[in-house]
């Protein structure tokens, strides 16, 4: 019985070492990504999906170029922008101004290629309005979502291309340890 305990202890130590190695790598990548503006663009050519024009009301979307089974991972993506969900302020107007300023600062710190990909996304409160100018905060507010239990929201250049559905065939969740959102098939998905 002593050897069983030793085997469990060795297994737990190996698991702990693997977890620590993954966390160290995640921290290294996080520090590397925060070193300065890097170019991020949405994924247009991928073996498993493609970007297509879904029409004037829907913009661009993603469609499968291979079949997926329920539970298959479709993609994982790092956020192009992360912004705190709540801003401490004395009024709603002041909080909105702080939110817009945080988005503008994050946008200004992006690589120009990432800015261009970011501004290609829709802005539901600005698109189609006469004389409306698309803004970074309009794009962010249209395409971002809360990152699990984090105090931040995030915008993902490829995931933002996934069209809304009342009967979705994918689900996404934020992995804090990876600092990425993973997308999985919730049912079988056919090509197209």
């Amino acid at each position: 019985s002593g050897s069983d305990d030793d085997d469990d202890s060795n297994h737990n130590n190996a698991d702990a070492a693997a977890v620590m190695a993954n966390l160290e790598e995640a921290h290294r990548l996080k520090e590397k990504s925060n070193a300065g503006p890097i170019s991020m663009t949405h994924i247009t050519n991928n073996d498993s999906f493609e970007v297509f024009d879904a029409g004037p009301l829907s913009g661009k979307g993603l469609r499968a170029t291979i079949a997926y089974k329920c539970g298959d991972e479709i993609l994982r993506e790092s956020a192009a922008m992360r912004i705190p969900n709540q801003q401490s302020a004395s009024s709603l107007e002041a909080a909105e101004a702080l939110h817009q300023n945080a988005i503008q600062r994050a946008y200004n710190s992006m690589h120009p290629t990432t800015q261009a990909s970011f501004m290609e996304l829709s802005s539901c409160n600005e698109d189609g309005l006469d004389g409306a100018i698309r803004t970074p905060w309009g794009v962010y507010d249209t395409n971002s979502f809360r990152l699990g239990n984090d105090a931040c929201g995030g915008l993902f250049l490829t995931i933002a291309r996934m069209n809304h559905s009342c009967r979705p065939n994918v689900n996404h969740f934020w992995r804090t340890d990876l600092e990425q959102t993973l997308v999985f098939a919730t049912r079988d998905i056919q090509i197209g």
Side-chain angles (χ1 to χ4, degrees), residues 6-144:
D6 290 343
D7 289 344
D8 287 344
S9 176
N10 289 339
H11 180 71
N12 289 341
N13 287 341
D15 287 347
V19 167
M20 288 304 296
N22 287 339
L23 285 174
E24 288 171 6
E25 177 67 3
H27 288 293
R28 184 188 70 75
L29 292 173
K30 179 182 174 188
E31 292 305 315
K32 180 180 175 186
S33 70
N34 290 334
I38 59 169
S39 176
M40 295 178 73
T41 60
H42 59 274
I43 302 167
T44 55
N45 297 316
N46 184 297
D47 291 340
S48 57
F49 58 84
E50 65 183 357
V51 175
F52 73 102
D53 189 352
L57 298 177
S58 299
K60 293 183 179 178
L62 294 182
R63 68 174 154 220
T65 57
I66 65 168
Y68 291 98
K69 294 288 186 193
C70 182
D72 285 350
E73 180 179 324
I74 296 173
L75 71 98
R76 55 179 65 196
E77 185 176 9
S78 298
M81 181 182 288
R82 290 174 60 184
I83 301 294
N85 286 325
Q86 297 179 347
Q87 304 283 344
S88 297
S90 58
S91 68
L92 178 59
E93 293 79 18
E96 288 175 354
L98 288 170
H99 178 69
Q100 288 181 358
N101 288 336
I103 293 167
Q104 189 65 54
R105 281 192 311 276
Y107 176 79
N108 290 345
S109 70
M110 288 178 168
H111 188 279
T113 305
T114 307
Q115 288 178 340
S117 294
F118 183 95
M119 293 306 288
E120 287 177 356
L121 297 172
S122 66
S123 176
C124 68
N125 294 323
E126 298 164 337
D127 291 349
L129 299 176
D130 287 340
I133 297 172
R134 187 176 293 177
T135 62
W137 54 87
V139 171
Y140 180 85
D141 288 346
T142 299
N143 296 284
S144 65

